[in-house]
Amino acid sequence: MSEKEITEMTTPGYEIPPELRHQVTITTLERIYNWGRANSLWPMMFGLACCAIEMIATAASRYDLARFGMEVMRPSPRQSDVLIVSGTVTKKMVPQIVRLYNQMAEPRYVIAMGACASGGGPFKEGYNVVSGIDKFIPVDVYIPGCPPTPQALLNGLIALQKKIERQSLRDLPWYQKGAAEPIPIPVLGPDLMDPRKYALIREVTRRQATQAQEGEVSNE
Amino acid sequence: MSEAVPKIAQIPDLVNLFPNKVQLDTRPGYQGYIVGREHLLDVVRQLRDEYGYDYLSSVTGVDYLPEGKMEVVYHLYKTLGGPALVLKVQTPREEPRVPSLVPLFRGAEFQEREAWDLLGIRFEGHPDLRRILMWEGFAGFPLRKDWREPYFEEEAKPFKSRWPEGFVFRAEDRNPFGDNVQYPPGFDPETWTSPDDEAVYRALKRIGEDDDFHTDTLVVNLGPQHPSTHGVFRMVVSLSEETILDLKPIMGYLHRNHEKIGERNTFLQNMPFTDRLDYLCSMSNNFGYALAVEKLMGIKPPERAEYIRVMMAELTRFLNHIFAIGFLLNDLGAYFTPALYAIEERELILDVFEAVSGSRMMCNYFRFGGVARDVSADILAKVRRLVYDRLPRKVDEMDEFLTHNEIVRERCEGVGVLTAEQAIANSASGPVLRASGVPYDVRRAEPYSIYDRLEFDVAVRYHGDIYDRYLIRLDEMRQSLRILQQVLRDIPDGPIMTGKPQYQVRVPPGEAYGRVEGPKGELGFYVVSNGKPNPWRYHVRAPSFINLTSLADMAIGHKVADVVAILGSIDIVLGEVDR
């Protein structure tokens, strides 16, 4: 917490009896709640590619993720708060990643670690590569680098903590009424198919078919 | 010199041995023999049984679109050592069919499946010819030269939009779907039924139904999101109680189209991509690719560069093995403490890499004919401190804490046994092969760079279980330190590149297979050039991928909990398995 925040908390504008000063703090529910949440983020133990090795290095003794309250890597999506997408997202893998995201309990956050997870990276042109995980699930923090150094990952995690501390409980989607809609899981067809885009796919392939027919006719 | 060639290094004259079945490959820059399709099995069987070519290293396909031919290329070796015997089989492009070599070499199984998956070459007699890297139902064979990916821009780099015009656009904007996808014309997604994994589940062995005591076979999926699979690897196992009846590995979850991208790239542009194959050992990958292209170009790096290369390759071997041991212990249940010790040492070596190349992991350090930057005296002093003082102590420390630990021995001894015969037949390489009692090391069998003048022993262990695969890594780390000490003693001054550095190398037409003893095994690069700035074919023989052939042999009959340890002892990296 910054100096300013500490002064704010110790002199909140309310009358605190002199004998309790510097022992009692008055703050808003939002701030104390966000402070707790931001400093106990549990990342999912989930590595995709090269970036996962740097993620392991970040968790190890030299860089020490535990300093930020994040040493508890959970292999189960049910128990984790942050999904660090660490590496190239392939078409074959993306249904599983979306399913993992759907299985995470809210509040949940996503970090796109490295160039591949952010936008395809050096492998973007490949036929089996998804151009960034944000095509399917919402991303909170993007970390550049190929792979990002451990320092960069820590910086990204701190950026996420700052984001959480600024959030308001009133407008966050997971504190609203009703259950959240799960993200439709992509299907592996002749190529990757996003169920949200079926109408577009049908329209374009139909147009392509008529164009091909017309081409044949004109050739004859 | 010709009479000095030892007998083992002589390649038999196949044209006289197999008249009318085999012809010499006479294309300029090519080597080896072209075998008639129908004679392949006979010729290879005879070569294996009578001439000692018992190790099938690499199988791959090449699409010669202008000639209307597909070619399958085999690299055979003797486990006694010596150069490759290259065999080729040609088949028309319309309906490519080649007899499968799986009955002779089980090691061909995954590689033939890969050639079927990516090039559409049908291997007749293959027991389980399914797609391996892509999924069942994917449209097209991506490595065929006339197949275009959804973000296709031009046949070869540098793309005109980037250079010289310098106008870059988002690939999404040029695709009608706004994404990296394409579908056959008239395709309706609603009508699609996915073939799924039915074929995998059906192929699994199950308990016979005529058993007196009726039990059910349990099918369990491990992965692709599983903390023990070292990445995104998936195993399907069928269980009788807890004992494994059958196991099928499923890969491709990290298939990043290395070869397709590599064939669009220029030769030098591929160098940073090789870093991302086995992302723990980028320096060794660079080494293999540089060797293959240098073979084509007919150049050799200067002395100092050779020493620097060997130094980096051996440091890489050390860090890979210490990492592998750390994570093997993770898999055994010693959660993270040994790995933390391993990562501590790895960081120190990464500091060296960062100092010479500018990057911790993706070094991109080798160039054709040398290395990118010189190693300063400071860095050499740092390496010297590591090699003489710190690292030997750390190996001894690992040895002391782990080798006689009761739990380690209990879980590792006699588990996951691979016999020498199986290891050779499965084309296993590296520590997996040597822990089974086959003293085969490319650095000795076919020495490259300066390994012929360095003194070291080929580590070998004889039980072929997890424990020996752990011990052999300790042995190899000690041998690596021995090599490093010699390198540091003898490293000469001088230039680090032959000729001047250039972005666009001239590579004469021909083919070359460069292989190195990577930390995980034999890493080979098969490169075909047609004289243009881009390789016509660029194939990686990935050791992790082929070592996985042995996984089922090791695991069947053991408990399901042991699979995790067995997989850890093979030491795979998914970037290399799936490429």
Side-chain angles (χ1 to χ4, degrees):
Chain A
M1 259 182 267
S2 69
E3 195 71 30
K4 194 178 146 224
E5 280 172 323
I6 292 168
T7 350
E8 257 178 39
M9 282 177 97
T10 47
T11 51
Y14 295 94
E15 195 61 39
I16 297 179
E19 67 271 22
L20 288 180
R21 241 168 240 166
H22 297 289
Q23 294 174 39
V24 167
T25 294
I26 296 177
T27 183
T28 57
L29 171 69
E30 201 162 274
R31 185 175 284 169
I32 191 78
Y33 185 74
N34 281 344
W35 174 75
R37 244 162 20 102
N39 289 299
S40 61
L41 287 172
W42 290 4
M44 179 152 41
M45 189 155 68
F46 173 57
L48 278 175
C50 334
C51 289
I53 305 295
E54 284 298 59
M55 191 168 77
I56 294 167
T58 316
S61 46
R62 196 189 228 185
Y63 299 98
D64 198 6
L65 209 54
R67 292 178 292 162
F68 304 90
M70 294 178 191
E71 76 276 29
V72 201
M73 290 259 187
R74 297 276 96 177
S76 162
R78 303 281 186 206
Q79 300 167 340
S80 43
D81 307 303
V82 195
L83 172 64
I84 303 179
V85 185
S86 53
T88 315
V89 183
T90 61
K91 290 179 186 171
K92 200 169 174 179
M93 190 63 198
V94 77
Q96 273 76 278
I97 300 177
V98 173
R99 188 171 289 135
L100 285 171
Y101 177 78
N102 284 339
Q103 286 173 346
M104 283 170 76
E106 291 173 325
R108 55 191 172 191
Y109 298 95
V110 178
I111 291 180
M113 179 183 182
C116 294
S118 304
F123 300 98
K124 182 177 178 178
E125 64 199 273
Y127 49 86
N128 191 27
V129 176
V130 174
S131 325
I133 189 65
D134 56 0
K135 293 252 194 286
F136 292 92
I137 57 179
V139 174
D140 293 280
V141 176
Y142 297 86
I143 305 174
C146 188
T149 56
Q151 293 94 326
L153 176 59
L154 287 178
N155 188 35
L157 288 166
I158 293 170
L160 179 64
Q161 288 184 328
K162 284 189 179 151
K163 178 175 177 173
I164 293 172
E165 280 176 3
R166 279 198 311 272
Q167 282 180 329
S168 152
L169 299 185
R170 205 166 299 143
D171 19 283
L172 277 177
W174 37 78
Y175 298 119
Q176 312 300 323
K177 272 193 185 138
E181 279 290 302
I183 292 171
I185 291 167
V187 182
L188 294 175
D191 208 323
L192 188 73
M193 302 189 291
D194 188 344
R196 294 171 296 190
K197 288 190 180 170
Y198 274 5
L200 173 77
I201 293 172
R202 206 175 306 125
E203 188 196 315
V204 176
T205 50
R206 209 168 279 163
R207 201 168 63 221
Q208 283 170 343
T210 42
Q211 274 168 3
Q213 266 175 7
E214 278 163 18
E216 267 171 39
V217 171
S218 64
N219 280 344
E220 282 165 15
Chain B
M1 279 298 279
S2 60
E3 65 273 6
V5 175
K7 200 153 182 233
I8 190 158
Q10 286 167 6
I11 292 173
D13 183 8
L14 296 199
V15 179
N16 288 330
L17 286 173
F18 305 100
N20 303 327
K21 292 182 182 173
V22 174
Q23 354 157 221
L24 203 63
D25 193 348
T26 49
R27 292 170 288 183
Y30 284 71
Q31 48 170 326
Y33 299 92
I34 297 175
V35 186
R37 188 159 40 150
E38 56 284 6
H39 307 302
L40 178 74
L41 274 173
D42 292 342
V43 170
V44 174
R45 183 178 291 122
Q46 211 167 332
L47 283 170
R48 183 190 71 171
D49 296 341
E50 290 168 28
Y51 295 90
Y53 283 95
D54 51 356
Y55 188 78
L56 178 68
S57 163
S58 153
V59 180
T60 188
V62 188
D63 178 9
Y64 288 103
L65 178 64
E67 288 105 60
K69 277 186 305 200
M70 287 268 188
E71 192 174 271
V72 181
V73 186
Y74 302 91
H75 284 81
L76 289 158
Y77 288 93
K78 298 175 185 171
T79 44
L80 296 171
L85 175 63
V86 190
L87 298 182
K88 286 151 197 171
V89 176
Q90 293 183 335
T91 167
R93 223 175 149 269
E94 282 67 51
E95 209 185 322
R97 281 169 188 280
V98 172
S100 166
L101 280 192
V102 178
L104 299 177
F105 295 99
R106 257 208 70 205
E109 186 185 338
F110 285 0
Q111 304 190 65
E112 288 183 348
R113 272 177 72 188
E114 186 193 326
W116 157 246
D117 185 1
L118 302 182
L119 282 157
I121 300 172
R122 195 170 273 285
F123 289 90
E124 289 165 329
H126 191 290
D128 189 17
L129 197 65
R130 285 180 289 118
R131 287 196 170 239
I132 187 165
L133 296 177
M134 302 304 286
W135 59 89
E136 284 302 325
F138 181 76
F141 301 109
L143 272 186
R144 289 195 174 189
K145 285 289 175 185
D146 50 1
W147 191 90
R148 288 174 170 185
E149 59 269 41
Y151 281 168
F152 174 81
E153 198 175 331
E154 265 175 76
E155 286 294 340
K157 285 179 187 172
F159 295 147
K160 283 200 188 64
S161 65
R162 323 283 164 90
W163 189 88
E165 282 165 27
F167 172 70
V168 179
F169 55 87
R170 282 178 79 235
E172 282 94 330
D173 298 341
R174 294 237 175 143
N175 186 297
F177 305 98
D179 208 347
N180 190 8
V181 288
Q182 62 189 7
Y183 306 95
F187 171 72
D188 185 355
E190 302 284 357
T191 59
W192 175 258
T193 47
S194 167
D196 249 340
D197 295 328
E198 271 306 303
V200 184
Y201 297 131
R202 248 183 290 130
L204 283 172
K205 263 194 224 93
R206 283 156 193 271
I207 303 174
E209 288 185 350
D210 49 344
D211 283 0
D212 298 341
F213 181 64
H214 180 77
T215 53
D216 249 349
T217 318
L218 189 66
V219 176
V220 177
N221 273 289
L222 285 160
Q225 202 295 97
H226 191 276
S228 72
T229 53
H230 294 230
V232 282
F233 178 63
R234 177 172 158 212
M235 294 174 273
V236 185
V237 290
S238 64
L239 300 174
S240 156
E241 291 165 10
E242 270 197 67
T243 310
I244 293 171
L245 288 177
D246 202 1
L247 181 148
K248 295 257 175 231
I250 300 178
M251 41 257 228
Y253 293 99
L254 194 59
H255 178 46
R256 306 194 272 199
N257 331 123
H258 197 87
E259 292 176 8
K260 187 80 180 177
I261 296 175
E263 286 167 20
R264 301 244 187 266
N265 280 345
T266 63
F267 281 96
L268 188 58
Q269 276 173 338
N270 272 336
M271 193 59 90
F273 281 88
T274 62
D275 289 339
R276 288 155 180 83
L277 277 172
D278 174 356
Y279 33 76
L280 285 170
C281 325
S282 58
M283 291 280 195
S284 312
N285 304 341
N286 284 184
F287 206 164
Y289 180 57
L291 276 185
V293 179
E294 278 163 10
K295 237 187 218 176
L296 268 176
M297 293 167 70
I299 55 171
K300 264 190 106 57
E303 275 296 275
R304 186 175 170 82
E306 294 273 32
Y307 275 89
I308 294 174
R309 283 178 168 196
V310 170
M311 182 166 92
M312 294 307 162
E314 294 305 320
L315 282 174
T316 306
R317 191 182 317 279
F318 188 93
L319 80 80
N320 177 73
H321 283 353
I322 202 161
F323 206 76
I325 290 175
F327 277 80
L328 172 65
L329 266 289
N330 247 7
D331 295 339
L332 290 175
Y335 185 66
F336 238 82
T337 310
L340 282 178
Y341 276 81
I343 293 170
E344 198 181 348
E345 305 316 307
R346 180 173 174 266
E347 288 286 339
L348 297 175
I349 298 175
L350 290 190
D351 285 347
V352 175
F353 288 172
E354 192 171 6
V356 296
S357 73
S359 175
R360 284 157 51 87
M361 274 171 69
M362 306 304 172
C363 298
N364 185 17
Y365 183 58
F366 287 41
R367 294 289 177 273
F368 309 129
V371 291
R373 286 171 205 84
D374 203 353
V375 177
S376 71
D378 286 0
I379 299 170
L380 280 179
K382 191 180 162 74
V383 178
R384 201 164 278 135
R385 275 200 300 280
L386 279 177
V387 165
Y388 280 97
D389 183 28
R390 175 145 186 150
L391 299 182
R393 254 188 310 127
K394 289 293 163 180
V395 182
D396 294 343
E397 193 180 284
M398 281 240 158
D399 197 358
E400 193 187 327
F401 290 151
L402 303 179
T403 307
H404 300 294
N405 181 304
E406 206 178 317
I407 300 171
V408 172
R409 297 190 63 155
E410 203 57 38
R411 293 251 356 231
C412 295
E413 282 179 345
V415 177
V417 175
L418 186 73
T419 64
E421 292 78 27
Q422 281 174 326
I424 294 173
N426 290 357
S427 303
S429 59
V432 178
L433 180 66
R434 291 191 288 272
S436 294
V438 185
Y440 187 79
D441 187 320
V442 182
R443 293 174 295 176
R444 279 280 182 259
E446 195 190 12
Y448 52 94
S449 194
I450 52 164
Y451 279 110
D452 50 351
R453 57 181 110 138
L454 292 170
E455 215 175 279
F456 66 97
D457 299 326
V458 175
V460 60
R461 298 266 170 176
Y462 297 94
H463 297 101
D465 54 1
I466 301 180
Y467 194 60
D468 273 10
R469 284 193 284 277
Y470 152 74
L471 286 176
I472 203 150
R473 295 205 163 90
L474 280 182
D475 298 345
E476 286 191 12
M477 287 197 305
R478 294 208 168 99
Q479 296 302 329
S480 284
L481 290 176
R482 205 168 140 199
I483 295 173
L484 280 165
Q485 287 171 359
Q486 295 168 49
V487 167
L488 288 167
R489 189 188 65 209
D490 298 340
I491 185 166
D493 285 332
I496 51 155
M497 276 289 275
T498 34
K500 61 174 196 298
Q502 45 190 340
Y503 294 111
Q504 194 88 285
V505 288
R506 246 173 224 293
V507 182
E511 57 160 10
Y513 183 66
R515 57 174 193 155
V516 292
E517 184 66 35
K520 304 217 162 42
E522 181 191 327
L523 175 69
F525 287 85
Y526 179 71
V527 182
V528 176
S529 163
N530 58 352
K532 299 240 172 67
N534 315 77
W536 179 257
R537 179 78 175 101
Y538 166 70
H539 172 73
V540 187
R541 187 248 187 236
S544 306
F545 176 61
I546 295 160
N547 284 352
L548 278 176
T549 317
S550 308
L551 181 63
D553 286 343
M554 293 178 191
I556 289 172
H558 288 289
K559 299 271 182 267
V560 68
D562 290 327
V563 173
V564 174
I566 293 169
L567 185 71
S569 76
I570 302 178
D571 184 21
I572 56 165
V573 156
L574 266 294
E576 193 177 68
V577 173
D578 295 342
R579 282 153 292 147

